[in-house]
Amino acid sequence: MSDILQKLLQPRAAPGPEPKWPKWIAEALAYQPESSPVGLDPPPKAVSPESEERRNLRKLSRVPNT
């Protein structure tokens, strides 16, 4: 019984050193491009739902197996 109590009353171990990222991950996270990419067009604008253009939408329903 005293062995169990001694194990329970042992001082706590000191926490280890702070974990560090591997070098290649730290470099990738710190990377900042020098300038923005050249020659890229802005993305096309999304069609708003209020657009005059109506789309042909059809209701889908299950067909019973016969």
Side-chain angles (χ1 to χ4, degrees):
M1 179 83 167
S2 64
D3 293 335
I4 296 172
L5 283 175
Q6 285 179 348
K7 288 181 182 180
L8 290 173
L9 298 176
Q10 287 180 352
R12 293 185 179 201
E18 197 67 30
K20 295 186 179 181
W21 292 104
K23 184 178 179 180
W24 67 272
I25 294 178
E27 289 173 356
L29 291 173
Y31 174 75
Q32 293 180 351
E34 294 176 4
S35 63
S36 62
V38 179
L40 293 179
D41 295 332
K45 293 182 180 179
V47 177
S48 66
E50 295 84 24
S51 166
E52 292 181 15
E53 177 186 337
R54 295 284 182 178
R55 296 201 172 144
N56 187 9
L57 299 177
R58 297 180 182 175
K59 181 180 175 183
L60 299 176
S61 60
R62 293 182 180 253
V63 177
N65 291 335
T66 55

